[in-house]
């Protein structure tokens, strides 16, 4: 069985949550290749250096500076998104014809399917969350997403089948246009040794470890905000900048250790050495932090209302703290960790959901 796995390039979370999917296909004897863009090629090459990579079109997404402009942004960029979707569909059909893939796995790449291969669409956001002021349009968003899913043979949901799982109402929707399979919480850290070393090359343990991720300009804005905030808090802190294209480099600024990027084992070590982890509230990050047993403060990316919903629901359940970016400061961070001192994300239970989903593929 020849398989091509294609993650979306809106941040690295789509690529990282494809890692256990790729591993499972390999474990079951499949021949796997990766459809990449420049922004995620380096990360995936570091994890799977032996796998062939195929270049596919990038969505080239740049989010608006202010989250309240997201509705206008969607209208403005709708034609661009449709153009990329149509182009990537033609590319997918050509690649299946040329390289004889039996299975395409698209992580939220809306147009990456083929009529001549088993096409699987992976998403946790079956319900696309809209801000309250735009909530009247949410049914239209669901209809549009359903029309996307109809083009695929199966939908895989990286969550638990029992509500609320980790994504709550975002992933648990009553109606589905094609067969839906829940494949469990997906993290590249699953199966790693749970012991946290005391230090990494003489660094750590840390009070706060901040993980920077996402697309520009929000990524750099978040990085600068973290630098300004953490330098004012006593103790040793680390910031993982999420720049795999720069390689693995480290530097120091006052009480901050800065890492451009870290291999998975070192990333896990740094996170596990922290009292608290600060990160965006993307769903892949939530699953990673649950596996690593981190106590988290989530700062949702403005404009990504899905992250607001996830952070709110996790905070309500006592699993994490959340702070709006516009209110993020030394004072609000210290107050949040004091108030939520006993939060903890539930550890994912062992299951065979992903293994069974791969095994049941019929081509």
């Amino acid at each position: 069985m020849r398989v091509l796995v294609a993650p979306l390039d809106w941040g690295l979370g789509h690529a990282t949550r494809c890692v256990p999917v790729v591993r499972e296909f390999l474990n079951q004897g499949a021949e796997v290749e990766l459809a990449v863009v420049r922004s995620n090629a380096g990360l995936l090459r570091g994890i799977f250096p032996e796998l062939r990579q195929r270049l596919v079109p990038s969505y080239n997404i740049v989010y608006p500076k202010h989250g309240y402009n997201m509705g206008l942004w969607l209208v403005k960029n709708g034609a661009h998104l449709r153009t990329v979707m149509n182009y990537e569909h033609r590319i997918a059909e050509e690649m299946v014809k040329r390289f004889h893939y039996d299975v395409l796995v698209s992580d939220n790449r809306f147009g990456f399917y083929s009529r001549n291969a088993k096409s699987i669409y992976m998403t946790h956001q079956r319900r696309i969350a809209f801000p309250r002021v735009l909530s009247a349009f949410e049914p239209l968003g669901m209809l549009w997403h359903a029309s996307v899913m109809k083009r695929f043979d199966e939908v895989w949901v990286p969550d638990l089948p029992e509500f609320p799982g980790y994504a709550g109402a975002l992933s648990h929707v009553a109606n589905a246009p094609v067969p839906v399979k829940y494949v469990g919480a997906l993290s590249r850290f699953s199966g790693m040794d749970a012991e946290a070393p005391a230090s990494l090359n003489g660094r750590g343990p840390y009070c706060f470890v901040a993980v920077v991720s996402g697309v520009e300009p929000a990524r750099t804005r978040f990085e600068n905000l973290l630098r300004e905030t953490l330098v004012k808090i006593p103790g040793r802190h680390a910031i993982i900048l999420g720049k795999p294209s720069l390689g693995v480099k480290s530097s120091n600024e006052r009480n901050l250790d800065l890492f451009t990027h870290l291999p998975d084992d070192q990333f896990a070590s740094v996170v596990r050495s922290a009292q608290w982890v600060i990160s965006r509230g993307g769903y892949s990050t939530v699953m990673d932090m649950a596996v690593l047993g981190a106590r988290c403060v989530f700062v949702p990316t403005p404009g990504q209302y899905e992250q607001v919903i996830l952070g709110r629901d996790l905070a309500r359940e006592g699993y994490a703290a959340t702070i709006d970016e516009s209110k993020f400061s030394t004072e609000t961070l210290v107050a949040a960790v004091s108030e939520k001192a006993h939060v903890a994300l539930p550890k994912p239970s062992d299951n065979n959901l992903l293994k069974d989903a791969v095994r049941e593929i019929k081509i």
Side-chain angles (χ1 to χ4, degrees):
M1 179 167 59
R2 286 177 56 80
V3 181
L4 183 64
V5 178
L8 187 67
D9 60 318
W10 296 14
L12 292 175
H14 294 278
T16 60
R17 75 183 186 187
C18 283
V19 170
V21 174
V22 172
R23 287 174 175 158
E24 187 56 46
F25 274 107
L26 292 172
N27 288 341
Q28 297 196 30
E31 180 182 351
V32 182
E33 295 183 356
L34 305 172
V36 301
V37 300
R38 184 176 300 176
S39 61
N40 59 30
L43 176 114
L44 291 169
R45 187 179 296 110
I47 299 172
F48 301 110
E50 74 284 2
L51 298 187
R52 180 186 292 274
Q53 295 189 347
R54 307 286 187 184
L55 193 64
V56 292
S58 169
Y59 274 75
N60 291 318
I61 293 300
V62 177
Y63 281 111
K65 182 177 181 180
H66 301 292
Y68 55 76
N69 286 332
M70 197 63 179
L72 180 61
W73 180 93
L74 286 170
V75 172
K76 181 180 178 181
N77 288 273
H80 167 72
L81 294 178
R82 286 192 298 273
T83 298
V84 176
M85 289 169 61
N86 292 335
Y87 180 54
E88 71 174 348
H89 174 58
R90 293 198 301 270
I91 292 292
E93 294 286 12
E94 291 172 5
M95 293 177 80
V96 168
K97 182 178 180 179
R98 181 177 179 185
F99 302 114
H100 310 291
Y101 297 114
D102 302 298
V103 179
L104 299 184
V105 179
S106 165
D107 187 329
N108 265 115
R109 292 198 68 118
F110 309 122
F112 205 82
Y113 64 94
S114 170
R115 298 178 181 86
N116 299 302
K118 181 83 170 185
S119 297
I120 297 168
Y121 181 70
M122 190 161 76
T123 183
H124 70 281
Q125 200 174 174
R126 294 174 60 202
R127 178 176 72 90
I128 299 176
F130 279 63
R132 183 172 299 174
V133 294
L134 299 174
S135 59
F137 297 97
E138 191 168 285
L140 294 177
M142 291 183 67
L143 286 173
W144 175 84
H145 206 191
S147 72
V148 169
M149 290 185 277
K150 282 181 181 178
R151 299 166 181 166
F152 294 81
D153 298 300
E154 292 182 7
V155 172
W156 287 5
V157 180
D159 200 357
L160 303 175
E162 300 82 13
F163 183 86
Y166 289 93
L170 294 178
S171 65
H172 295 81
V173 176
N175 299 317
V178 293
V180 171
K181 294 181 179 178
Y182 287 84
V183 294
L186 301 182
S187 170
R188 67 192 193 274
F189 302 111
S190 297
M192 280 190 174
D193 187 353
E195 294 299 319
S199 64
L200 174 69
N201 296 330
R203 300 181 176 91
Y206 296 107
C207 298
F208 289 99
V209 167
V211 181
V212 186
S213 61
V215 297
E216 300 294 358
R219 198 214 66 82
T220 295
R221 187 176 65 244
F222 187 42
E223 175 189 333
N224 293 336
L225 184 59
L226 289 165
R227 289 174 184 255
E228 295 169 4
T229 300
L230 293 179
V231 77
K232 300 174 186 176
I233 299 177
R236 198 78 197 161
H237 317 297
I239 303 179
I240 303 172
L241 299 174
K243 295 182 175 180
S245 62
L246 299 182
V248 180
K249 300 177 183 178
S250 62
S251 60
N252 310 98
E253 293 180 8
R254 298 170 67 175
N255 63 335
L256 305 180
D257 292 336
L258 306 175
F259 303 95
T260 56
H261 171 66
L262 289 173
D264 286 355
D265 57 342
Q266 295 181 21
F267 184 103
S269 295
V270 169
V271 167
R272 286 174 172 151
S273 75
Q275 296 178 33
W276 286 90
V277 174
I278 310 168
S279 73
R280 292 303 198 187
Y283 186 61
S284 297
T285 299
V286 170
M287 292 189 290
D288 286 344
M289 294 303 118
V291 168
L292 294 175
R295 289 195 300 170
C296 295
V297 179
F298 293 122
V299 184
T301 304
Q304 294 192 34
Y305 194 63
E306 166 220 359
Q307 294 190 14
V308 175
I309 294 291
L310 285 171
R312 182 198 67 191
D313 291 350
L314 291 169
R316 185 178 294 163
E317 294 294 327
Y319 295 157
T322 185
I323 305 174
D324 186 273
E325 184 185 278
S326 65
K327 299 177 181 177
F328 188 83
S329 66
T330 302
E331 293 74 23
T332 57
L333 177 59
V334 171
V337 299
S338 298
E339 180 184 348
K340 301 282 188 177
H342 302 293
V343 301
L345 287 163
K347 275 293 193 80
S349 58
D350 293 332
N351 59 67
N352 293 318
L353 294 172
L354 178 59
K355 182 181 295 186
D356 291 343
V358 172
R359 185 187 300 119
E360 291 167 2
I361 291 176
K362 294 180 175 59
I363 57 176

